[in-house]
Amino acid sequence: MTGGNPIIQAEALDKYYGSFQALDNINMSVHSGERVVICGPSGSGKSTLIRCFNALEHHSAGKLIVDGIEVFEGSKEIRRLRQEVGMVFQQFNLFPHLTVLENLTIGPIRVRKVPKAEAEANAHRYLERVHIPEQADKYPSQLSGGQQQRVAIARSLCMESRIMLFDEPTSALDPEMINEVLDVMVGLADTGMTMVCVTHEMGFARKVADTMIFMDGGQIIETAPPEKFFTQPESERCKAFLEQILEH
Amino acid sequence: MARSHSTDYVIPKPPLPGRILASVPVSITIYLLVIGFIAYTAYDGSKAMGYNWQWYRMPQYLWTMTDEGFQWGEIALGLVKTLQLSLLAFVLALALGLIVALLRLSGLLVGTAVARVFLEVVRNTPLLVLLYLFYYVLGPIFDLDRYTASILCLGVYHAALISEIFRAAINSVAPGQWEGASSIGMSKAQAYRYIVLPQSVRFMLPPMTGEMVNMVKSSAIVSVIAVAELTTMGRNIISDTYMSFEVWFTIAAVYLLVTLTLSFGVSLVERHYALK
């Protein structure tokens, strides 16, 4: 699991929005097949960090290498990088004018230049994997939030990404739909996919994470395997945060 | 359960005068009275000035049936020219408008500056002056005939308005759509073509209809450089016959017919692009 070079390597990343510092000296690495869960209070910079990993945001200083590609603003390699790094958003960001099947195939067909028949066969396979094969011809607005998020996961999978980033994938969902999405994510973790998840679902984190990261104020405060993270957190801030969200 | 719900929530009726005014027969009566009054005043006024109505002479300018067969009249031929002119100018305006909108949204300093200058110059020049510029200034320089100069002028004028429609519609698409498109590796051009533009059509159809109607109407201005379109035909007929009332009523009715048809056609297209 930890053999070889890391697939994501961040060294001394800083990120500023004007004078506000969103990321402060981030150092971390993710190895192939590793599952990392990042948590922390809102505004701690966790979303900004994973958005940097597929260049939706650009870091202001430091060095970031993802899948052997150095990420920086204006790099010609960014589109190639994004094909390798899938992203699942809090708000799904499905394309409302396309059917579910078209949502899944437009990337492979237009970006990866996969033949249409092959792309559709793949799409059906991945819809099966997220347990909604019967919804292929519907439009996103006809699906529930949980189903939409599973389509979004399938859309990333269809790009045959090697790394999957999840930015609070269940935060916009009604409580009864959270589990169907988490189940799909657990299934994905079982296939050995490299995953970086920003989430507050601690049950999920315990189940799949190899590494837990706690962020606050743009810094990584604590990095630990889950057994240690949940039972003996070192920092006071992390302890206080865990007490708050595990209380209920 | 003793109390029925209907007694709990009584929706108050609007006051009596409002209800009477809103009733259909009363509305229709008032409408007819107003129209009747306007028509009567016009008729009475024209009679007072001794106007000689000659409606019977009008049909020949629409079409004629003679021994040589069916023939379109001058007004019909003018209408065809108007439609041709408007259509070509509208296509030009669409293309130019999209380019200007994309330049403005490009984030490039030069692109934005070029688009802004174009917009400010065109929007702040009266259409009539713009037409004179195209015909009397650019015309001789680039050897443009009056028909081409008209198309270019109308195209450029409406491109400025249309580019703002494009820009607003593109900005109306949720920002998450750009991120969704980027996250599957699409380039900006691909995101525009497959994701953003198709979704923005819904936002641009209603104002675009307005622009099509405006195009047909503002094309009348090229009659000042004697392009043989609908309005010019009207002026020619009047100078031959002095039937100014009949001719202008007819010309106005023809424009109205065209613009209403356009609006109706677009409302069908709009239904197609409604949210699924």
Side-chain angles (χ1 to χ4, degrees):
Chain A
M1 183 190 79
T2 46
N5 285 327
I7 197 163
I8 299 177
Q9 174 120 41
E11 282 170 30
L13 289 193
D14 287 339
K15 166 80 185 168
Y16 289 90
Y17 293 110
S19 62
F20 175 74
Q21 187 164 15
L23 294 179
D24 182 1
N25 190 29
I26 299 287
N27 292 285
M28 65 175 284
S29 56
V30 179
H31 288 84
S32 184
E34 191 178 358
R35 275 94 62 171
V36 177
V37 170
I38 305 177
C39 61
S42 66
S44 59
K46 48 198 195 310
S47 284
T48 307
L49 178 60
I50 74 163
R51 286 163 63 84
C52 284
F53 291 166
N54 74 341
L56 283 178
E57 305 275 354
H58 293 287
H59 51 280
S60 317
K63 191 171 179 184
L64 176 61
I65 296 175
V66 178
D67 201 22
I69 298 169
E70 181 164 4
V71 185
F72 58 91
E73 192 161 6
S75 164
K76 299 271 181 254
E77 304 279 348
I78 284 178
R79 286 185 58 205
R80 194 160 69 78
L81 167 82
R82 285 179 178 151
Q83 293 175 36
E84 304 302 328
V85 184
M87 177 92 168
V88 176
F89 300 90
Q90 185 177 347
Q91 300 294 344
F92 329 137
N93 294 351
L94 292 176
F95 308 130
H97 62 304
L98 302 178
T99 64
V100 167
L101 190 66
E102 289 165 339
N103 264 279
L104 301 192
T105 54
I106 192 161
I109 292 174
R110 301 295 176 191
V111 180
R112 279 203 188 272
K113 312 290 180 201
V114 174
K116 188 161 182 249
E118 190 186 328
E120 286 184 353
N122 266 335
H124 282 294
R125 196 155 53 80
Y126 283 117
L127 277 180
E128 198 91 44
R129 196 144 131 206
V130 300
H131 316 303
I132 38 175
E134 71 285 357
Q135 311 287 6
D137 298 319
K138 292 203 180 151
Y139 286 92
S141 59
Q142 295 170 304
L143 306 184
S144 72
Q147 290 171 326
Q148 290 190 44
Q149 191 60 295
R150 286 185 280 156
V151 171
I153 294 173
R155 180 174 70 181
S156 287
L157 293 175
C158 282
M159 292 299 291
E160 311 286 355
S161 309
R162 290 158 22 92
I163 308 170
M164 289 282 280
L165 306 174
F166 292 86
D167 187 5
E168 305 206 30
T170 55
S171 302
L173 297 177
D174 291 335
E176 73 270 24
M177 295 171 182
I178 290 177
N179 279 330
E180 63 188 52
V181 172
L182 292 180
D183 285 346
V184 165
M185 290 169 63
V186 171
L188 193 58
D190 291 341
T191 65
M193 173 71 78
T194 309
M195 293 165 70
V196 182
C197 311
V198 170
T199 182
H200 291 147
E201 296 297 331
M202 290 302 136
F204 166 79
R206 254 187 239 265
K207 207 183 289 179
V208 306
D210 299 310
T211 307
M212 294 294 304
I213 290 179
F214 174 73
M215 285 182 73
D216 195 10
Q219 295 173 321
I220 293 182
I221 305 292
E222 192 152 344
T223 306
E227 319 80 74
K228 179 163 181 298
F229 184 85
F230 288 110
T231 51
Q232 325 156 301
E234 278 170 15
S235 68
E236 286 306 313
R237 275 193 276 181
C238 185
K239 223 175 276 181
F241 175 77
L242 285 176
E243 269 167 24
Q244 268 187 340
I245 63 167
L246 293 177
E247 204 160 73
H248 305 289
Chain B
M1 288 307 287
R3 284 168 61 188
S4 94
H5 285 283
S6 59
T7 57
D8 289 354
Y9 308 101
V10 177
I11 299 166
K13 286 185 176 174
L16 194 65
R19 260 186 294 156
I20 292 178
L21 273 177
S23 79
V24 175
V26 174
S27 308
I28 293 176
T29 314
I30 294 174
Y31 177 77
L32 290 177
L33 279 176
V34 171
I35 296 291
F37 176 73
I38 293 172
Y40 176 77
T41 322
Y43 170 76
D44 194 51
S46 65
K47 209 167 68 177
M49 61 180 275
Y51 188 82
N52 178 22
W53 291 96
Q54 305 174 67
W55 277 112
Y56 67 93
R57 289 176 64 190
M58 277 310 292
Q60 58 174 316
Y61 297 108
L62 293 172
W63 70 80
T64 46
M65 273 302 253
T66 58
D67 296 340
E68 291 141 49
F70 181 86
Q71 255 191 327
W72 286 111
E74 284 172 62
I75 289 181
L77 295 177
L79 173 63
V80 171
K81 202 74 173 170
T82 285
L83 293 179
Q84 222 175 47
L85 185 75
S86 307
L87 184 70
L88 288 172
F90 195 74
V91 171
L92 174 68
L94 275 181
L96 202 56
L98 183 60
I99 292 171
V100 172
L102 293 180
L103 273 178
R104 186 124 187 239
L105 292 167
S106 65
L108 301 172
L109 214 57
V110 183
T112 315
V114 168
R116 284 299 295 270
V117 168
F118 173 82
L119 281 178
E120 294 305 331
V121 168
V122 172
R123 274 197 305 202
N124 292 301
T125 310
L127 178 53
L128 185 57
V129 174
L130 200 65
L131 182 66
Y132 286 153
L133 279 172
F134 268 88
Y135 185 56
Y136 292 114
V137 179
L138 298 183
I141 298 176
F142 295 105
D143 195 22
L144 306 173
D145 60 38
R146 58 189 75 220
Y147 186 60
T148 316
S150 303
I151 291 172
L152 290 178
C153 168
L154 287 170
V156 164
Y157 184 75
H158 285 267
L161 307 165
I162 282 175
S163 82
E164 289 296 273
I165 295 175
F166 273 124
R167 193 170 70 98
I170 288 168
N171 280 338
S172 305
V173 174
Q177 293 296 308
W178 286 104
E179 294 190 348
S182 305
S183 77
I184 54 172
M186 283 194 176
S187 65
K188 204 166 176 192
Q190 286 175 321
Y192 261 121
R193 176 158 168 216
Y194 299 115
I195 307 301
V196 174
L197 284 179
Q199 287 185 64
S200 60
V201 169
R202 181 164 59 87
F203 298 108
M204 61 179 80
L205 273 179
M208 215 54 107
T209 319
E211 271 313 296
M212 267 162 80
V213 167
N214 276 341
M215 175 66 88
V216 173
K217 290 192 297 178
S218 59
S219 73
I221 206 165
V222 306
S223 63
V224 301
I225 57 168
V227 173
E229 48 68 75
L230 187 51
T231 305
T232 308
M233 289 304 188
R235 282 165 39 144
N236 293 347
I237 296 168
I238 290 167
S239 64
D240 290 346
T241 63
Y242 300 105
M243 298 193 297
S244 43
F245 281 29
E246 295 89 334
V247 170
W248 288 130
F249 275 127
T250 309
I251 299 284
V254 172
Y255 276 115
L256 189 68
L257 197 70
V258 171
T259 52
L260 286 181
T261 312
L262 272 177
S263 303
F264 176 71
V266 175
S267 73
L268 294 182
V269 182
E270 241 164 74
R271 219 168 298 163
H272 174 78
Y273 277 101
L275 265 193
K276 278 143 192 150

